[in-house]
Amino acid sequence: MKQEYTVTVYTENQIGLLNRIAIIFSRRKINIESLNTSPSEIDSVHRFTIVINETEEVVRKLCRQIEKQVEVLKAYYNTNEEIVWQELALYKVPTDVIAEKVKVERLLRQYGARAVVIRHDYTVFETSGHREEIEALIKALEPYSLIEFVRSARVAIIKASHGFHSKLKEFERGEPGEEVVENEFLNQQEGVFSM
Amino acid sequence: MDTIELAEEITKIAATQTINITGSEAVLKALIAEGVKTIFGYPGGAIMPIYDALYDYENELEHILVRHEQGAIHAAQGFARTSGKVGVVFATSGPGATNLVTGLADAQIDSTPLVCITGQVFAHLLGTDAFQETDVINITTPVTKWNYQVTDATEIPAALAKAFYIAGSGRPGPVVIDITKNAQIQKFDYEGYTPCNHIRSYRPKPIIRKEYIEEAARLINSAERPFVIFGQGVILGRAEKEFKTFIEKGGLPAAWTILGLSALETAHPLNVGMLGMHGNYGPNVLTNECDVLIAVGMRFDDRVTGRLDKYAKQAKVVHLDIDPAEIDKNVKATVPVWGDCKETLPLLTELIEKKDHTAWLRKFAEATEKENEAVIFDELHPTKDEMSMGEVINVLNELTKGDAVIVTDVGQHQMVACRYAKFVQSKSNVTSGGLGTMGFALPAAIGAKYGAPDRTVVAIIGDGGFQMTLQELGTIMQYGAAVKIIILNNRFLGMVRQWQELFNERRYSFVDIQSPDFVMLAKAYGIAGQSINERKDLKAALTEMIEHDGSYLLEVMVGKENNVFPMVPQGCGVGEIRLR
Ligand SMILES: Cc1ncc(C[n+]2csc(CCOP(=O)(O)OP(=O)(O)O)c2C)c(N)n1
């Protein structure tokens, strides 16, 4: 069954790596719904957050292909239940319209938004949250001549993760230990060995 | 200060002493430090500083000037395949680099270790559509294991060290290092060359898990009809001995992919033949009768498996591979054995019981018998006047005793050569398997000869494929590479014609190809040769070819509309293999 997966990739910070990762998806004609690149909890390590809509089998294989890239340290995939995630959005509306017609205060409270810029000609609201919340505010602002809207890529934190510090130490050793060579079959003895 | 301390002190001082050299010289010093002796290349504006430096390194580095950059990279592939070393290519920017792309794709899919060094325009011109500027890094990203652009000379030693390490370790593959011209010219303080043996984000070999070896051994020990299928992983892992010990102890019949061919001598009693679309009858049919399928260093290519939903569904699958991404990619493994098969095979051998599976082996023998009657005997000993491709290979086997390196192009002749050529040693079959690149064989054979200078190298090529890279006859002429060339001329793009005959109601759409007088052509390049049309001349002609001092071109006119059988038609399961 296809569903939303968030792929988290820890990498070296290297020019060209974004392309190397992106073509793993495009080659298989898989649409990237959202892509974020960012620093990670570790200075030299970069973090990609990629959202796709696929079956688990496809996502698992994609992660293997991603991990195969020389400059990739590790790739994880998670369902939405396994992560805490947010997207951020900006909305620009004409100040006069909004001041005249809307109970702005209520609107902001209701959607957890705040005004980041208020000028005489326009106002920019910001909100962050899940997709539905962001879209609900578009709906609410649409009648008031929404001038511009933009939504950011998803950022996500894996609930079960203990971070990457200890893993990185393993990677830095000449002979990495089991920590980094997780074998997902291992915890499924029964399922795998169906003799 | 005692002498040891003194020596240490001196080394320390030496290490900090630098010499001022150009980026180009640093490139050549890196190659020498990596043990490179042969480079295949072609110069041009953006790589001129490296060529200028090369002028002074004639004694250390042999450079083979090819006739087209595609020729350079296929030659480097041939070199890598017969020598087991990393092949090295030089090419200029723009068209020079784009001409490498086919070879990169070929090397990527067939896991061939290459380091390709391309010149690039000056760094300040990047992105300006400068003369002969192409975005080589982005063009080559999908077809390289790794690539990197150097814009500063100080990066050169480390970049090349990484390149060689990545190309040759783990699952090998091609690497491109694109060096801007300013970096080639730039002088810098050179601190010597340190080979690379660790990159923190790169794990060439997965860790071996004992529990999997044990589980795999349990499966194999309990099997009644175990079947081993092996690929190039055995050769790339230099695990031929370990592999043989493994199958001999378990009494395990073993069949090969065309890239695995020659890892196990063809005459070995447990070698049951070729897998896949034009493979042998037994290995294909019995894939669907075995109870445990043991895949060693192979990747279940669709030409091997046919339709996946009809592939070995009854079998438990043990998959040994160094590349974790191959496990479960096409065929689900019951027991995945991650690791270098050089290490995993002995562990497995230790745990398996000594067996002989006589009854099961008899099934392979019976299948061979059946295929002999239906296909093989006629192919090797035809009664028609026209010669067959198979009989050429058969006589060649007789003369070389299976000791030659056979390089094949792509098409019917390739399948026939792989099916019938005999091999007594590893690294002897060089072919373009994954990409199926016509035009591969002639340049690859040149490289193969440099990789194995003491061996007879025979290139077997179709009349079509030969015309794709025949300019490399010039390279043979210039350097005297003693490559033996057999053109199996059926006056058709045979393999495509066969499909049109079988699946498109004989609608022969643009497969009728004319050829020049190949013998005269060879002569123009100073290469001896002859063309034969009759069976009675075959043995003498092949003998002359082999014994001739230097390169030789032999054209053999073969049946125009012969087909290669058996065949697993596309979209069919291996069990549906057709004998005719
Ligand atoms: C570069 C390239 N172009 C096209 C093909 C498709 N193709 C596969 S086999 C073949 C025919 C080869 O004809 P020939 O070289 O005469 O060999 P034969 O099959 O007759 O032995 C063609 C066109 C290919 N494999 N590679």
Side-chain angles (χ1 to χ4, degrees):
Chain A
M1 190 197 56
K2 280 195 183 182
Q3 61 168 316
E4 216 164 71
Y5 282 95
T6 299
V7 177
T8 304
V9 189
Y10 286 93
T11 74
E12 301 293 351
N13 192 359
Q14 173 90 47
I15 293 175
L17 191 56
L18 171 61
N19 185 31
R20 219 171 238 288
I21 291 175
I23 61 176
I24 290 174
F25 296 89
S26 56
R27 172 176 175 188
R28 294 168 176 81
K29 233 173 156 168
I30 292 170
N31 193 31
I32 294 179
E33 311 280 344
S34 153
L35 179 141
N36 179 264
T37 74
S38 127
S40 73
E41 58 272 23
I42 297 163
D43 220 6
S44 59
V45 173
H46 218 68
R47 179 172 179 154
F48 290 76
T49 306
I50 303 164
V51 182
I52 57 169
N53 216 317
E54 265 304 337
T55 63
E56 179 174 1
E57 191 181 344
V58 169
V59 178
R60 184 181 340 115
K61 286 179 188 175
L62 285 168
C63 283
R64 293 245 183 95
Q65 295 295 335
I66 292 169
E67 273 191 7
K68 193 164 145 173
Q69 305 309 315
V70 169
E71 276 124 357
V72 170
L73 289 147
K74 197 87 191 116
Y76 300 94
Y77 65 89
N78 294 99
T79 59
N80 288 348
E81 290 68 49
E82 294 165 346
I83 55 170
V84 176
W85 61 276
Q86 293 277 287
E87 288 168 356
L88 177 136
L90 299 175
Y91 313 75
K92 185 184 189 182
V93 282
T95 302
D96 49 351
V97 178
I98 201 103
E100 212 171 280
K101 297 196 180 152
V102 193
K103 291 241 170 1
V104 178
E105 214 118 300
R106 210 193 64 208
L107 189 83
L108 296 191
R109 223 176 312 115
Q110 188 179 344
Y111 292 97
R114 65 187 183 99
V116 279
V117 174
I118 305 172
R119 293 172 32 143
H120 70 278
D121 50 347
Y122 65 80
T123 296
V124 176
F125 295 118
E126 175 250 48
T127 186
S128 57
H130 284 190
R131 183 75 48 93
E132 309 79 57
E133 303 165 77
I134 284 167
E135 277 167 7
L137 186 53
I138 305 186
K139 280 268 165 331
L141 290 175
E142 252 166 15
Y144 310 111
S145 337
L146 179 63
I147 303 168
E148 236 183 274
F149 163 76
V150 63
R151 190 183 63 219
S152 78
R154 168 182 299 190
V155 291
I157 291 281
I158 304 169
K159 289 178 184 166
S161 169
H162 299 292
F164 209 68
H165 291 279
S166 60
K167 287 229 162 63
L168 192 71
K169 286 216 179 64
E170 285 290 334
F171 278 105
E172 278 165 352
R173 281 169 42 191
E175 276 288 316
E178 301 188 352
E179 177 79 352
V180 301
V181 201
E182 288 160 24
N183 185 327
E184 65 260 38
F185 297 98
L186 216 71
N187 303 322
Q188 322 170 7
Q189 292 280 21
E190 254 90 291
V192 177
F193 306 136
S194 49
M195 271 298 285
Chain B
M1 222 183 247
D2 65 24
T3 42
I4 295 176
E5 268 177 67
L6 190 66
E8 275 174 7
E9 196 61 23
I10 291 171
T11 342
K12 251 192 236 151
I13 294 167
T16 56
Q17 270 178 347
T18 56
I19 48 165
N20 207 248
I21 64 171
T22 63
S24 298
E25 280 176 276
V27 169
L28 303 183
K29 283 185 187 298
L31 299 186
I32 292 165
E34 290 289 347
V36 174
K37 300 220 160 53
T38 312
I39 302 160
F40 301 92
Y42 208 92
I47 198 171
M48 276 184 65
I50 291 178
Y51 273 86
D52 185 59
L54 191 58
Y55 194 74
D56 293 325
Y57 281 80
E58 230 183 328
N59 295 330
E60 290 97 329
L61 292 165
E62 176 181 34
H63 177 276
I64 309 300
L65 175 69
V66 293
R67 294 299 181 269
H68 184 296
E69 289 85 355
Q70 185 187 354
I73 191 162
H74 289 330
Q77 290 180 270
F79 173 88
R81 295 269 279 270
T82 55
S83 69
K85 296 182 190 146
V86 176
V88 177
V89 176
F90 282 177
T92 193
S93 68
T98 56
N99 277 345
L100 298 181
V101 171
T102 303
L104 289 169
D106 196 291
Q108 172 83 341
I109 201 163
D110 280 350
S111 308
T112 310
L114 299 180
V115 170
C116 301
I117 293 169
T118 50
Q120 180 58 279
V121 300
F122 284 88
H124 71 272
L125 293 175
L126 287 171
T128 65
D129 300 326
F131 178 64
Q132 293 193 331
E133 184 202 355
T134 50
D135 185 353
V136 173
I137 293 297
N138 280 307
I139 288 176
T140 61
T141 294
V143 289
T144 49
K145 184 172 174 187
W146 187 64
N147 59 9
Y148 186 74
Q149 185 174 64
V150 173
T151 50
D152 190 292
T154 56
E155 294 182 281
I156 287 174
L160 282 175
K162 258 179 102 168
F164 275 91
Y165 174 54
I166 292 167
S169 62
R171 178 176 181 175
V175 169
V176 167
I177 300 291
D178 191 41
I179 309 179
T180 56
K181 200 167 176 181
N182 58 294
Q184 298 171 36
I185 298 166
Q186 181 191 344
K187 286 201 160 179
F188 71 112
D189 290 336
Y190 178 71
E191 295 173 3
Y193 183 81
T194 320
C196 175
N197 59 18
H198 176 61
I199 297 170
R200 75 173 183 185
S201 59
Y202 169 63
R203 281 150 291 147
K205 295 179 191 177
I207 285 187
I208 296 166
R209 311 294 297 238
K210 248 184 58 208
E211 49 276 53
Y212 286 87
I213 305 266
E214 284 162 8
E215 196 55 42
R218 242 192 313 277
L219 263 185
I220 295 169
N221 287 338
S222 66
E224 279 169 18
R225 297 179 308 282
F227 181 30
V228 173
I229 56 181
F230 64 98
Q232 197 190 195
V234 176
I235 299 173
L236 292 170
R238 299 177 169 79
E240 293 90 345
K241 258 228 223 68
E242 290 79 1
F243 178 77
K244 204 196 298 194
T245 315
F246 167 66
I247 59 166
E248 283 175 353
K249 181 167 179 194
L252 307 168
W256 36 270
T257 70
I258 60 171
L259 270 99
L261 174 53
S262 87
L264 176 69
E265 62 266 27
T266 34
H268 193 285
L270 290 169
N271 189 333
V272 294
M274 171 169 157
L275 294 162
M277 187 174 266
H278 292 290
N280 291 115
Y281 184 71
N284 276 303
V285 169
L286 297 174
T287 294
N288 281 357
E289 289 182 26
C290 68
D291 57 357
V292 175
L293 188 66
I294 306 137
V296 185
M298 58 83 72
R299 59 184 177 83
F300 293 105
D301 178 83
D302 61 282
R303 284 293 195 266
V304 162
T305 62
R307 242 175 92 155
L308 275 176
D309 60 357
K310 293 185 177 175
Y311 184 78
K313 283 294 165 202
Q314 78 297 341
K316 299 269 187 285
V317 177
V318 177
H319 192 176
L320 287 76
D321 209 289
I322 197 166
D323 179 358
E326 287 303 339
I327 307 285
D328 281 355
K329 188 184 78 181
N330 296 334
V331 171
K332 206 139 188 64
T334 319
V335 182
V337 182
W338 294 7
D340 182 344
C341 62
K342 176 105 183 161
E343 295 160 26
T344 52
L345 281 170
L347 296 173
L348 201 49
T349 304
E350 191 147 328
L351 297 182
I352 64 170
E353 290 155 14
K354 197 160 171 43
K355 291 209 174 157
D356 51 25
H357 299 291
T358 324
W360 171 231
L361 275 164
R362 204 175 314 120
K363 292 206 108 179
F364 283 92
E366 283 162 14
T368 305
E369 200 57 30
K370 193 165 170 187
E371 186 178 343
N372 255 330
E373 266 169 43
V375 181
I376 300 176
F377 189 82
D378 264 358
E379 179 66 35
L380 302 188
H381 312 282
T383 44
K384 281 194 281 190
D385 280 351
E386 291 179 320
M387 277 188 279
S388 71
M389 292 183 175
E391 70 178 312
V392 180
I393 308 294
N394 196 34
V395 177
L396 184 68
N397 285 336
E398 241 175 73
L399 298 173
T400 63
K401 311 251 174 329
D403 205 17
V405 171
I406 305 283
V407 185
T408 52
D409 212 71
V410 173
Q412 292 183 313
H413 65 280
Q414 173 191 36
M415 292 299 117
V416 171
C418 288
R419 284 177 54 81
Y420 299 109
K422 300 276 178 247
F423 292 100
V424 296
Q425 60 170 306
S426 184
K427 295 201 195 74
S428 298
N429 183 54
V430 179
T431 194
S432 166
L435 203 66
T437 306
M438 282 173 73
F440 174 81
L442 185 64
I446 297 172
K449 184 70 188 170
Y450 280 93
D454 300 330
R455 301 186 62 190
T456 301
V457 173
V458 184
I460 297 170
I461 316 181
D463 45 318
F466 186 77
Q467 294 185 68
M468 280 209 178
T469 46
L470 61 77
Q471 77 282 351
E472 298 309 329
L473 289 174
T475 310
I476 294 176
M477 167 185 74
Q478 185 163 352
Y479 296 94
V483 173
K484 314 295 179 183
I485 304 158
I486 300 177
I487 298 178
L488 296 178
N489 188 347
N490 54 12
R491 287 149 289 163
F492 266 126
L493 296 174
M495 185 57 94
V496 178
R497 186 210 54 75
Q498 174 170 345
W499 283 47
Q500 289 176 346
E501 176 188 333
L502 298 177
F503 312 117
N504 294 0
E505 299 90 38
R506 299 182 130 257
R507 287 152 54 86
Y508 288 171
S509 181
F510 300 98
V511 288
D512 185 344
I513 188 169
Q514 295 188 0
S515 293
D517 182 330
F518 289 123
V519 177
M520 253 168 70
L521 185 76
K523 199 165 167 219
Y525 284 100
I527 296 167
Q530 67 171 312
S531 179
I532 61 165
N533 210 344
E534 285 182 70
R535 183 163 297 126
K536 65 174 180 30
D537 301 324
L538 180 60
K539 192 164 181 178
L542 282 169
T543 309
E544 183 176 333
M545 176 193 83
I546 290 167
E547 285 175 358
H548 182 82
D549 186 17
S551 183
Y552 191 97
L553 184 147
L554 174 64
E555 177 185 36
V556 183
M557 305 308 290
V558 294
K560 256 192 110 163
E561 297 188 58
N562 292 357
N563 287 335
V564 188
F565 278 112
M567 178 172 195
V568 181
Q570 202 161 36
C572 291
V574 286
E576 297 165 272
I577 186 167
R578 287 170 57 172
L579 280 168
R580 62 188 99 229

